[in-house]
Amino acid sequence: MKQFTRNTIKMLCLGIILGASSILSSVAQTTVNENEKLIPFGDFNRWMVRVIDESFVIGGNTKILYEVAPVDTIRGDKPYIGSTVSPWRTSNVMAKVSGITKCSISVFPEKRDDGYCVRVETLMEKCKVLGIVNITVLVPGTIYLGQMHEPIKDTKNPQSKLNAGIPFTETPKAVVFDYKMETPGTDHRIKATGFSKIVDVPGRDSAEIYVIFQKRWEDENGNVYAKRIGTAIERLSENTPDWKNGHRLDVIYGNPANQPGYKSYMQLIPKEQSLYCINSKGKSVPVEEIGWGDADDKPTHLFLRVSSSYGEAYIGTVGNKLWIDNVRLAY
């Protein structure tokens, strides 16, 4: 699908404003079906537009970045951390490397019936300025619950760029969503980190829906730890040209090993791949998962991520596309 033109953006904003009376934006107030609650802005009918001019030395192109947030237009290379209303953030980011402003765009709104859905897509981003910088990065399109620390200044330790997860104390039975998928279906992936050689990685790529419930706490030194309370993870690797509505992904509480629906990738996050959060001292620190929750434990945080490629950052198959809509929790 093509990126929106300026006229299309205007039509998008107008259509969303006219339909605003039917948009639901609060978990506490929004029920899709009985016992199902929409995650705020999880119908993807409202989008904020960021209009940013890239640096002249790389062409000075005007780029349009989209965020799942109240309808608005922000112009200029202003860092965007996240919305005070919407819990969602995307992998659409502004980077400043060696004084050069470059945008990465891998998440797009797309028309669906009378509203909109979101498309995440795995792409290659390139930035080349003779004698200054020469970067080629593979970027999986991603939406997630949390925030982003902008501007991005390098490709090191990508998890540290995020404030991952939102406060959450409930124990839903499942995550429910609509989706369709398009994939080249090749049996190898690409690893492109920006400053090293591009290499092939064996194995078929998959889109991933990754949902974990954590019980977090902080010690006196500001270190943050977590127990995994619930897990709901699914990988999608087949073409699904027609929408699959109401797809249900059950949450497994406690250690998922030996429970129905268990997959090997549901284990605790390795320390070196930890999510990051902002501690009480205002510092970005890793969230170290140290064990599984007990039967009577309740979560403190929810982290939900939808990505067009799975696994480590900068690895995937160009052309993977996943469309998602109506993300809700079932109780």
Side-chain angles (χ1 to χ4, degrees):
M1 298 291 180
K2 295 181 179 179
Q3 295 185 24
F4 290 172
T5 63
R6 292 179 183 275
N7 286 337
T8 307
I9 293 169
K10 292 179 181 178
M11 292 174 65
L12 167 66
C13 295
L14 177 60
I16 293 171
I17 292 170
L18 291 175
S21 61
S22 64
I23 293 172
L24 304 174
S25 61
S26 170
V27 166
Q29 298 175 353
T30 300
T31 301
V32 179
N33 295 314
E34 186 177 3
N35 300 323
E36 290 185 4
K37 295 179 182 179
L38 192 73
I39 291 178
F41 290 77
D43 55 9
F44 305 111
N45 283 337
R46 284 183 282 183
W47 293 81
M48 182 187 74
V49 177
R50 304 173 65 196
V51 183
I52 300 175
D53 293 330
E54 294 184 325
S55 294
F56 178 76
V57 292
I58 58 171
N61 295 319
T62 299
K63 294 297 182 68
I64 308 298
L65 283 67
Y66 312 98
E67 290 293 338
V68 185
V71 178
D72 197 2
T73 299
I74 298 177
R75 300 184 182 276
D77 57 351
K78 304 170 185 176
Y80 176 72
I81 305 301
S83 169
T84 59
V85 179
S86 170
W88 296 94
R89 188 61 166 87
T90 76
S91 54
N92 292 343
V93 296
M94 176 185 66
K96 287 193 175 183
V97 181
S98 300
I100 297 168
T101 298
K102 176 77 172 69
C103 297
S104 176
I105 309 168
S106 53
V107 177
F108 309 88
E110 192 164 301
K111 185 73 176 175
R112 184 190 182 201
D113 299 327
D114 295 330
Y116 289 83
C117 64
V118 58
R119 183 180 91 246
V120 294
E121 182 174 352
T122 301
L123 304 166
M124 293 289 278
E125 287 284 0
K126 299 180 180 181
C127 181
K128 185 174 182 179
V129 181
L130 187 63
I132 301 178
V133 64
N134 187 356
I135 301 174
T136 300
V137 180
L138 185 134
V139 182
T142 303
I143 58 171
Y144 60 92
L145 298 179
Q147 298 175 325
M148 174 78 74
H149 306 307
E150 274 195 349
I152 302 301
K153 298 179 180 179
D154 56 56
T155 60
K156 299 176 183 178
N157 195 2
Q159 293 294 348
S160 68
K161 276 57 172 185
L162 312 183
N163 182 13
I166 60 172
F168 191 85
T169 58
E170 300 173 6
T171 52
K173 294 179 179 179
V175 181
V176 185
F177 53 91
D178 307 340
Y179 83 92
K180 66 176 183 176
M181 183 176 177
E182 179 181 315
T183 176
T186 57
D187 289 329
H188 73 277
R189 296 171 290 159
I190 293 172
K191 181 176 183 179
T193 63
F195 293 97
S196 58
K197 182 180 178 181
I198 298 174
V199 296
D200 288 339
V201 178
R204 178 168 293 200
D205 196 12
S206 300
E208 184 176 66
I209 295 86
Y210 185 96
V211 186
I212 61 173
F213 299 82
Q214 293 180 322
K215 180 181 180 180
R216 298 180 183 177
W217 68 93
E218 182 178 333
D219 68 15
E220 59 184 10
N221 297 317
N223 301 307
V224 177
Y225 302 94
K227 284 188 177 182
R228 176 81 65 81
I229 305 301
T231 307
I233 305 174
E234 185 171 17
R235 292 179 180 174
L236 306 170
S237 58
E238 302 297 331
N239 278 303
T240 310
D242 298 321
W243 279 96
K244 187 171 183 179
N245 296 323
H247 182 67
R248 183 183 176 97
L249 182 56
D250 291 333
V251 179
I252 303 174
Y253 286 96
N255 189 338
N258 301 319
Q259 293 196 54
Y262 169 74
K263 301 293 183 182
S264 61
Y265 45 75
M266 294 179 175
Q267 288 301 312
L268 298 176
I269 302 172
K271 184 176 181 179
E272 63 275 10
Q273 298 175 19
S274 293
L275 301 175
Y276 273 66
C277 73
I278 303 299
N279 68 9
S280 62
K281 304 176 188 299
K283 182 180 178 181
S284 178
V285 297
V287 179
E288 184 179 348
E289 284 194 324
I290 62 171
W292 301 97
D294 300 324
D296 58 347
D297 276 339
K298 297 294 183 182
T300 62
H301 287 78
L302 163 63
F303 180 63
L304 185 156
R305 177 181 65 217
V306 177
S307 181
S308 56
S309 294
Y310 80 95
E312 296 180 31
Y314 315 124
I315 297 178
T317 297
V318 174
N320 256 26
K321 300 177 184 178
L322 178 68
W323 290 259
I324 289 284
D325 202 6
N326 297 322
V327 182
R328 63 259 198 202
L329 301 174
Y331 291 83

